[in-house]
Amino acid sequence: MKSLLRTSVAAVVALTLTTFSAAAENVLKWGAQRDVVSLDPYSYGDTFTIAVLNHVYEGLVRYDEKLQIAPALATSWEVVSPTVWRFHLREGVKFHNGAPFTADDVIASLTRVSDPASPLRGNLPAYKGATKIDDHTVEINTTPNYPLLLNDLTNIVIFDKEWLVANHAEAPTDVGKGVEGYATSHANGTGPFKIVSRKPDAETVFEVNKDWWDKPKHNIDKIIFTPIASSATRVAALLSGEIDFTNSAPLQDIPRLQASPDIKVLASNELRTVFFLFNRTDKTIASDVTDKNPMNDIKVRQAMYQSIDIDALQKKVMRGLSRNTGSLIAPAIPGYVDALDSRLPYDPDAAKKLLAEAGYPNGFSFSFVCENDGYVNEEEICQAVSSMWARVGLKANLDVAPTSLQTAKFESGKFDVGILGWANEPMIDSFSILVQVVHSKVGTSGVFNWGGWKYPDVDALIDSAGKELDREKRLGFQTQALTKVKDDIAFLPLHQQPMAWAMGPKIASVVQLTDNKPRFWLTKMK
């Protein structure tokens, strides 16, 4: 991304125009805030990367235009027993390299994503194994009475087994641990577009898959995906017509974009809740408190909570477009109740008193890890909150860097306070954040439990929810779990972040859903 900052928009466009002629084709030029972390959708639980790669790879099921589960590479399914689901696979489907899609590919993909070394294994928390019945029938074994398998499978894409074997790519890659493989830089899916060239941090080119099994609802021949880290450069490129679309319109520039007769802006709040999380191990990572971890004291966590002026943050940093919350989940996520959305009042005097009671009358220092290319205005959020904490004596040593560098710190627990955003995808259910973030790190649970927090009574509620078929009972368990972690201030919720897309005059229509994922197989160009 740093190289892109040294490249002018004109140079990017000149390179594009010398390579492609858009005169006879519908070419959509997509300018994004950052690049994908890998071409391997299993390499890291990054929603943006998976959204981009959903143009290339597909799962057995998918979300439709109304975020309802619909058939994809499976045409139908049934529950055979409390632990077995049977899927009937779509016939006649081919991978981009021409190989036929069969049950062997499903088995190989499920084996790969559920590998203990897979960063995405938490997306299949109930998975126990799979069996091939015939070339177009697969049975998936789960824990008893697991209710959310279809939701999980919307994000589990299918690889070509022969392609994996031929390229020694059966083992998963892991961006956070620096584990790469053939799938890191090559792609071969069944989806509506195929990748024909890639220059990391500069440009990825997709061409339409003319042999796609589905009936296209788009008229795009080519997508040119360009990461443009600079907000000003991205806006200038859109206004000049050098890009046609961005899924990350800067909040501060929305009025300017809306004033242009050639630009259309789609702005709303997405499902993602942004919150702070704490290192809850015995010792801090980088603090002047060395004999214990202050973050394990609820008075400290409450002081940090009450020293944040959420209204000022919403107005000044988020331009009034975020939705303040006291909850870890958005109102549209099953498991949400109004009582979870209340916030502790902003009260710096009370915060100082709490710190004194905890034994830190002069505050203390700690590491605060954030990214500069992740969530909306993330760096500005962390800078503003650091200043608010400083007013009560808390000295945040702000560590800001790209996602590619910070991921390893989070996964290895090298932070005292960090930031996380969770949209509960692909489940679109509060069980997602509960089993992957809140739960202790056990088996496929707690994959994103980066701070080592442990709540055995909450784990029990989550485990009960994971085997309850009655929806109301299941959601009751989940609401209880969310209430317990709220009462203990296990996390520090901020807001549901805004999403702002902007498009130029060449685009006739797009479908924007609350999961904030562009779906260009549903996009029309003029």
Side-chain angles (χ1 to χ4, degrees):
M1 292 184 197
K2 291 181 181 178
S3 62
L4 184 61
L5 294 176
R6 297 194 294 265
T7 304
S8 68
V9 175
V12 173
V13 175
L15 176 63
T16 298
L17 293 179
T18 57
T19 310
F20 302 105
S21 172
E25 296 179 304
N26 279 331
V27 179
L28 189 151
K29 291 172 287 185
W30 179 1
Q33 182 181 13
R34 63 178 175 89
D35 200 4
V36 298
V37 298
S38 170
L39 292 188
D40 185 349
Y42 291 176
S43 65
Y44 182 60
D46 177 59
T47 302
F48 174 69
T49 293
I50 294 171
V52 175
L53 296 179
N54 277 347
H55 292 80
V56 178
Y57 288 99
E58 299 174 295
L60 296 181
V61 294
R62 65 186 180 190
Y63 287 114
D64 63 16
E65 296 94 321
K66 297 181 179 179
L67 281 182
Q68 299 298 311
I69 294 172
L73 293 181
T75 56
S76 62
W77 48 86
E78 62 263 3
V79 178
V80 177
S81 75
T83 60
V84 178
W85 292 61
R86 180 176 297 154
F87 290 84
H88 303 278
L89 308 183
R90 193 176 298 276
E91 300 187 28
V93 176
K94 293 184 178 180
F95 287 92
H96 295 159
N97 66 354
F101 162 66
T102 70
D104 292 329
D105 305 312
V106 177
I107 301 295
S109 300
L110 292 172
T111 299
R112 187 173 187 266
V113 75
S114 62
D115 188 286
S118 168
L120 235 66
R121 66 190 183 281
N123 278 13
L124 275 179
Y127 178 77
K128 293 297 183 183
T131 305
K132 173 184 175 180
I133 305 304
D134 58 43
D135 280 349
H136 292 95
T137 310
V138 168
E139 288 186 348
I140 295 178
N141 302 299
T142 68
T143 56
N145 298 320
Y146 180 65
L148 294 165
L149 180 63
L150 294 179
N151 304 60
D152 296 342
L153 290 174
T154 60
N155 231 30
I156 306 300
V157 301
I158 304 302
F159 287 85
D160 173 11
K161 178 184 178 179
E162 293 181 356
W163 182 80
L164 290 174
V165 172
N167 295 293
H168 309 289
E170 304 102 306
T173 62
D174 188 333
V175 168
K177 296 180 179 177
V179 179
E180 297 188 349
Y182 188 79
T184 302
S185 54
H186 300 80
N188 177 38
T190 60
F193 297 91
K194 51 188 176 182
I195 292 176
V196 294
S197 69
R198 174 162 169 78
K199 299 174 183 177
D201 292 331
E203 180 183 273
T204 304
V205 179
F206 304 72
E207 287 185 355
V208 65
N209 176 15
K210 296 181 179 179
D211 295 322
W212 189 34
W213 59 268
D214 203 0
K215 182 178 179 180
K217 296 182 180 180
H218 70 89
N219 60 352
I220 299 172
D221 298 301
K222 191 171 292 179
I223 300 171
I224 302 173
F225 173 88
T226 306
I228 307 175
S230 166
S231 296
T233 304
R234 201 160 59 248
V235 169
L238 186 65
L239 289 170
S240 66
E242 292 159 354
I243 62 173
D244 303 308
F245 173 87
T246 180
N247 61 297
S248 48
L251 302 188
Q252 66 271 18
D253 291 307
I254 287 178
R256 180 185 174 198
L257 293 170
Q258 290 173 326
S260 171
D262 295 326
I263 303 298
K264 182 178 181 180
V265 177
L266 297 178
S268 183
N269 289 117
E270 62 165 300
L271 295 175
R272 186 177 309 280
T273 299
V274 178
F275 55 96
F276 295 137
L277 39 81
F278 304 100
N279 168 18
R280 297 292 300 277
T281 57
D282 292 337
K283 298 289 183 66
T284 54
I285 299 302
S287 172
D288 52 9
V289 179
T290 58
D291 61 331
K292 57 184 176 181
N293 186 348
M295 307 304 170
N296 284 328
D297 190 326
I298 189 173
K299 290 184 178 180
V300 170
R301 299 196 299 274
Q302 183 174 337
M304 299 181 80
Y305 193 138
Q306 292 198 258
S307 56
I308 294 178
D309 186 345
I310 195 68
D311 291 330
L313 197 70
Q314 198 255 5
K315 181 179 179 180
K316 296 178 180 179
V317 176
M318 305 308 292
R319 302 321 196 265
L321 297 173
S322 58
R323 178 187 179 277
N324 295 344
T325 184
S327 172
L328 290 178
I329 59 173
I333 300 295
Y336 171 92
V337 294
D338 288 341
L340 292 173
D341 223 349
S342 61
R343 288 187 61 86
L344 292 173
Y346 167 59
D347 191 337
D349 290 334
K352 292 178 182 178
K353 183 178 179 181
L354 285 164
L355 287 173
E357 291 174 358
Y360 309 101
N362 299 315
F364 57 90
S365 65
F366 55 93
S367 70
F368 184 23
V369 178
C370 296
E371 300 163 354
N372 56 16
D373 60 354
Y375 310 118
V376 176
N377 288 6
E378 179 177 348
E379 183 173 2
E380 293 88 342
I381 291 169
C382 294
Q383 289 172 342
V385 172
S386 294
S387 296
M388 294 174 185
W389 282 335
R391 294 170 194 160
V392 299
L394 294 167
K395 298 173 281 293
N397 299 315
L398 186 55
D399 175 1
V400 179
T403 301
S404 57
L405 297 177
Q406 304 300 65
T407 295
K409 297 174 188 175
F410 284 127
E411 289 196 340
S412 59
K414 297 293 192 284
F415 67 94
D416 292 318
V417 179
I419 190 169
L420 182 61
W422 202 264
N424 293 280
E425 297 173 23
M427 288 184 187
I428 309 186
D429 190 281
S430 57
F431 189 74
S432 171
I433 192 170
L434 288 170
V435 74
Q436 295 201 62
V437 178
V438 176
H439 200 289
S440 302
K441 192 181 288 290
V442 180
T444 59
S445 301
V447 174
F448 288 83
N449 185 330
W450 290 333
W453 45 84
K454 294 179 181 179
Y455 293 93
D457 55 339
V458 174
D459 289 350
L461 287 166
I462 298 170
D463 294 342
S464 295
K467 54 187 178 184
E468 179 54 67
L469 293 178
D470 184 288
R471 186 175 187 273
E472 293 307 314
K473 289 182 180 179
R474 175 174 66 82
L475 294 181
F477 289 135
Q478 292 170 204
T479 299
Q480 288 181 60
L482 289 167
T483 301
K484 284 181 177 292
V485 294
K486 176 184 174 65
D487 291 345
D488 197 59
I489 315 178
F491 307 94
L492 205 167
L494 298 174
H495 54 243
Q496 275 88 48
Q497 75 174 10
M499 58 178 174
W501 296 3
M503 63 205 74
K506 292 182 182 179
I507 296 181
S509 65
V510 299
V511 174
Q512 185 191 57
L513 304 177
T514 52
D515 63 358
N516 199 20
K517 291 183 176 181
R519 292 169 166 85
F520 288 132
W521 59 90
L522 302 175
T523 295
K524 288 283 189 179
M525 300 191 72
K526 295 179 182 177

